[in-house]
Amino acid sequence: MGNTRGFGVDIGGSGIKGGLVDLEAGALDGERLRIPTPQPSTPDAVAEVVAEIVEKFGWEGPLGVTLPCVVKHGVASTAANVDKGWIGTDAAALFAHRLGRPVEDVVVLNDADAAGIAEMRFGAGKGRDGLVVLLTFGTGIGSALFLDGRLVPNTEFGHLEVDGHDAETRAAASVKEDKGLTWAEWTPRVSRYLGVLENLIWPDLVIAGGGVSKKAEKWLPLLDVRTEVVAAALKNDAGIVGAAVAAARGPRP
Ligand code: BGC
């Protein structure tokens, strides 16, 4: 029998959020706790906050933690919107050490991959085979690719080159905010980005996640793309839920 409760922590550029997760319902089990991300967001400073959150809930089982980084076997390899000190850091070992746990208890994965795991199991991707890509539009653009429900980790499609630019610097939700763009002004940027992505991977479904998915009715109808695009269903909690699911499955080989 597996545990029906898990624990996830989602590390973002502005906030670190964590909570207990009901692994059968695919939802938070109670309130989540959010603490602003320390600046600079160095590994040690972030590990302190992760420990504070885990200890606040008194959680002692396996836990999943997301990072906005490529993460292979617990080690962060990039750091696009977070302190560069993460590059080369064994994040799983760092969190386990700070929490006084065996490293096997801590699964660290890319934030968009975690959100995708949750959406595929409980949300907009449930029951969808073929090639599905979840994109999170936030400070940057995160991506999670699934073939027949199985994750292809660390895809980093937010960094595709579009018209000579790193895609996320043109089409992330933060660009809309920073430049004061209307939905009608921002959406063509997303269409252009999705057009490039479509021509490369020909997905069957795109799931649009991140904060802007809460306002999906304002911009999804304005998109001019070939592929079916639907809004993510789990909104802000997808990262926490997906991290907890990944931890309950155990570390990747
Ligand atoms: C990072 C990804 C991350 C995404 C969303 C990108 O800049 O390269 O690893 O998933 O932002 O946070």
Side-chain angles (χ1 to χ4, degrees), residues 67-70 78 80-81 110-112 136 140-143 156 159 168:
L67 279 173
C69 307
V70 166
T78 62
N81 294 304
N110 172 264
D111 54 358
T136 59
I141 299 177
S143 63
E156 295 292 313
H159 298 294
E168 70 174 23

Side-chain angles (χ1 to χ4, degrees), residues 181-204:
L181 303 178
T182 63
W183 294 108
E185 287 165 340
W186 177 69
T187 309
R189 292 169 174 245
V190 180
S191 293
R192 174 76 190 119
Y193 166 58
L194 290 179
V196 171
L197 183 64
E198 283 179 315
N199 287 344
L200 291 174
I201 63 164
W202 288 81
D204 296 298

Side-chain angles (χ1 to χ4, degrees), residues 106-147:
V106 184
V107 170
V108 183
L109 71 168
N110 172 264
D111 54 358
D113 283 348
I117 288 170
E119 286 295 333
M120 293 305 287
R121 187 179 283 202
F122 305 106
K126 196 172 168 186
R128 296 293 299 248
D129 277 341
L131 200 66
V132 180
V133 61
L134 167 118
L135 298 168
T136 59
F137 294 90
T139 309
I141 299 177
S143 63
L145 183 69
F146 294 83
L147 179 61

Side-chain angles (χ1 to χ4, degrees), residues 5 57 70 99 129 131 134 144 146-147 169 178 214 227 243:
R5 265 172 132 201
F57 285 89
V70 166
L99 289 163
D129 277 341
L131 200 66
L134 167 118
F146 294 83
L147 179 61
T169 66
D178 294 348
K214 283 186 243 165
T227 316

